[in-house]
Amino acid sequence: MSSRAGSGRRAVRMEDAMDWKRTGNRRGMELKTVPVCGNKIRCEAGEREEVLDFPMLQFPALSGTGMVRHCFTTRLGGVSQGIFSTLNLSFIRGDDPEAVTENYRRVAQALDVDFMRIVCSDQTHTTNVRTVTEADAGKGLTRPKDYTDVDGLITNVPGLTLATFYADCVPLYFVDPVHRAIGLSHSGWRGTAARMGQVTLKAMKEQYGTDAEDVICAIGPSICQDCYEVSVDVAEVFWREFPNREAEILEEKGNGKYQLNLWKANEIVLLEAGVQPGRLSVTDICTCCNPEFLFSHRASHGKRGNLGAFLSLIPEV
């Protein structure tokens, strides 16, 4: 695995990428910090809860709908230790389960969503999309999942919070303001080549009548093209799936190696599926370039936790 963060062609460090105007015609993300309750602290009056600053990344375009709560987490603000420090959201990588649960509690508090109604994916690089109902509340967090191989989640149930997980792959957010439905999908190179964004929009249309032209979409932080070296067999998949667009997605480096642009590939997928350019936000925050802020499988050689994307419909008053 290679990292080419130093070349500086496309990668933008987090502190620079917060100002989305720097990225030309892209709409970037904002870093929002909110107070959350942490550990109890002993003081002269007895015990009090420590108040901590909790950072999370958000898309202004999604927040601006007024109908969702959402975020993409950083690795900051949690209680995990070592390679998982501090906001690891994976129960299956060897972290202390109590620490992971506390990390989820902090995310829920920061987003002002119900911890008991978070619903988690079961990611295996498929294009399977699950329709989430009230019966799924808590699955993957407070109770076991009764499904497997689910990389996308959709719902129209207010108050349920969809959760998917990352450490270099691409998070895709979908908000349908007409039918009040949402979707959240995980798209690695396999999912991107299989057009996970299009598959998610199709599922939303089948379940809720969603028209892609109405949907507000966002492509979140992932590994950038500079950092994502792939072999020729992966490049060949994208040549087949994106005919006449390969120059926008792949850069040949020689010796059978290529640099792959997952952001651009997913942008092409969503636009070809009918999403309007003015309703699509694309960040350029690279997970691999920012190991002090974000978990990256490639930068850490697999010794890492998981970041999370969260999306929830706000109940109508």
Side-chain angles (χ1 to χ4, degrees):
M1 294 182 178
S2 72
S3 173
R4 300 179 62 254
S7 62
R9 287 196 313 276
R10 293 292 300 274
V12 177
R13 288 180 59 80
M14 182 176 291
E15 54 266 38
D16 295 327
M18 292 308 100
D19 181 2
W20 63 266
K21 293 179 181 178
R22 285 178 171 270
T23 61
N25 62 2
R26 297 184 178 188
R27 297 176 182 174
M29 303 187 82
E30 294 179 342
L31 183 64
K32 182 178 181 181
T33 303
V34 298
V36 298
C37 295
N39 299 323
K40 290 185 176 181
I41 301 174
R42 291 189 177 276
C43 58
E44 292 183 1
E47 286 188 340
R48 64 176 177 84
E49 285 189 322
E50 181 183 18
V51 178
L52 305 170
D53 288 334
F54 185 91
M56 56 186 178
L57 290 158
Q58 296 182 323
F59 284 97
L62 299 186
S63 300
T65 66
M67 61 179 285
V68 297
R69 296 187 174 98
H70 82 287
C71 77
F72 188 81
T73 63
T74 73
R75 65 181 299 168
L76 309 177
V79 298
S80 296
Q81 301 293 317
I83 62 172
F84 307 112
S85 63
T86 60
L87 195 79
N88 168 46
L89 297 170
S90 172
F91 286 103
I92 62 173
R93 300 194 66 84
D95 197 3
D96 178 357
E98 291 186 4
V100 179
T101 300
E102 171 62 16
N103 292 340
Y104 275 96
R105 185 195 67 79
R106 293 186 181 191
V107 173
Q109 185 181 358
L111 278 181
D112 192 23
V113 299
D114 188 344
F115 172 87
M116 301 296 292
R117 299 181 71 202
I118 294 173
V119 184
C120 299
S121 57
D122 187 75
Q123 295 166 200
T124 53
H125 297 279
T126 70
T127 55
N128 297 330
V129 177
R130 181 177 179 84
T131 300
V132 174
T133 68
E134 190 63 47
D136 294 313
K139 289 181 181 178
L141 179 56
T142 62
R143 59 197 182 108
K145 292 173 287 191
D146 57 0
Y147 48 85
T148 58
D149 303 321
V150 171
D151 283 74
L153 302 168
I154 61 174
T155 194
N156 65 349
V157 181
L160 289 179
T161 300
L162 309 181
T164 54
F165 307 98
Y166 304 89
D168 281 337
C169 294
V170 183
L172 304 175
Y173 298 76
F174 305 82
V175 178
D176 177 357
V178 176
H179 298 89
R180 290 190 59 82
I182 57 174
L184 189 61
S185 289
H186 162 265
S187 188
W189 77 259
R190 291 180 179 84
T192 301
R195 297 180 177 262
M196 182 56 160
Q198 180 183 36
V199 173
T200 306
L201 287 165
K202 181 180 178 182
M204 292 178 69
K205 183 175 183 61
E206 291 173 351
Q207 291 294 324
Y208 314 121
T210 294
D211 187 332
E213 292 186 354
D214 297 325
V215 178
I216 300 167
C217 291
I219 299 174
S222 74
I223 192 167
C224 72
Q225 185 175 23
D226 281 0
C227 294
Y228 196 27
E229 181 182 276
V230 299
S231 58
V232 67
D233 57 327
V234 174
E236 286 174 347
V237 174
F238 283 82
W239 293 335
R240 291 194 304 269
E241 298 299 329
F242 295 85
N244 304 317
R245 307 297 297 268
E246 57 268 24
E248 301 172 62
I249 298 171
L250 290 161
E251 180 181 344
E252 186 173 2
K253 304 307 294 181
N255 297 318
K257 301 297 183 182
Y258 296 80
Q259 302 298 133
L260 175 59
N261 189 334
L262 288 175
W263 291 323
K264 186 62 179 180
N266 279 283
E267 182 178 350
I268 290 170
V269 168
L270 292 172
L271 293 177
E272 290 185 350
V275 175
Q276 297 301 294
R279 291 175 174 262
L280 176 59
S281 299
V282 187
T283 191
D284 55 2
I285 298 174
C286 173
T287 47
C288 193
C289 287
N290 292 279
E292 65 271 43
F293 299 119
L294 304 169
F295 291 119
S296 167
H297 187 85
R298 186 156 292 208
S300 68
H301 303 286
K303 299 177 180 179
R304 46 81 180 176
N306 272 358
L307 306 164
F310 294 83
L311 182 63
S312 179
L313 272 173
I314 299 173
E316 291 185 281
V317 178

